[in-house]
Amino acid sequence: MPYTCESRFRVRYAETDQMGMVYYANYLIWMEVGRTDFCRESGFNYRDLEREEHAFLTVAEANCRYLAPARYDDAILVETELSRVRSRAAEFTYRIKCGLTLLAEGRTVHVVIGTDGRPRTMPDRYLDLLKAKL
């Protein structure tokens, strides 16, 4: 069974729209929070990957299926899993919840690129840390 990282926070007022619901684009930001926490719990952070290895995990694909709205001050749980990792790409899946209610499901695909913007191989140390979470 793949490792699941849990990220918890509350909806901030600035994340809501005129109708009092969380603006749809914020769910993608919450996925980034989950992904960042996942990497940190795997033994590294994006900053190290970028500064030390000059490698970047660029988003090649993102999708989100919205199932129920979140509102100001709701307690949010983002469950993040690594569904696939290869030498040049990684795929994460997300479940965003409020209590027992599933609010949204999402997926992002990332391609590893260098400072020149061209695809490159993920450094072995980072690849091994991610593979250990599958």
Side-chain angles (χ1 to χ4, degrees):
M1 177 175 232
Y3 171 76
T4 301
C5 173
E6 294 185 350
S7 304
R8 297 176 188 273
F9 50 87
R10 289 199 170 269
V11 174
R12 293 160 290 271
Y13 188 79
E15 294 173 315
T16 62
D17 62 16
Q18 186 176 355
M19 296 176 288
M21 293 183 270
V22 171
Y23 181 67
Y24 76 94
N26 286 310
Y27 290 82
L28 295 173
I29 293 168
W30 295 351
M31 290 180 203
E32 182 181 348
V33 169
R35 190 171 59 253
T36 300
D37 288 348
F38 185 97
C39 291
R40 191 174 290 113
E41 288 186 15
S42 297
F44 72 95
N45 62 49
Y46 277 150
R47 185 176 56 214
D48 295 342
L49 179 64
E50 294 173 353
R51 285 184 183 172
E52 296 172 9
E53 302 290 345
H54 307 290
F56 304 85
L57 293 177
T58 187
V59 177
E61 184 178 334
N63 64 54
C64 186
R65 182 167 181 249
Y66 304 94
L67 303 167
R71 299 182 187 281
Y72 172 66
D73 206 37
D74 281 352
I76 301 298
L77 168 66
V78 179
E79 297 174 337
T80 305
E81 292 181 358
L82 179 66
S83 52
R84 185 172 44 135
V85 65
R86 296 189 209 143
S87 63
R88 292 182 177 227
E91 179 180 321
F92 293 88
T93 57
Y94 312 88
R95 287 177 304 281
I96 301 173
K97 299 178 178 181
C98 179
L100 298 176
T101 303
L102 181 61
L103 303 175
E105 297 176 309
R107 174 178 157 271
T108 57
V109 177
H110 303 262
V111 174
V112 183
I113 63 169
T115 54
D116 60 359
R118 301 184 71 205
R120 63 164 282 187
T121 302
M122 185 179 299
D124 289 338
R125 172 181 177 261
Y126 298 90
L127 185 60
D128 292 343
L129 288 169
L130 288 174
K131 282 183 176 180
K133 296 295 184 182
L134 285 176

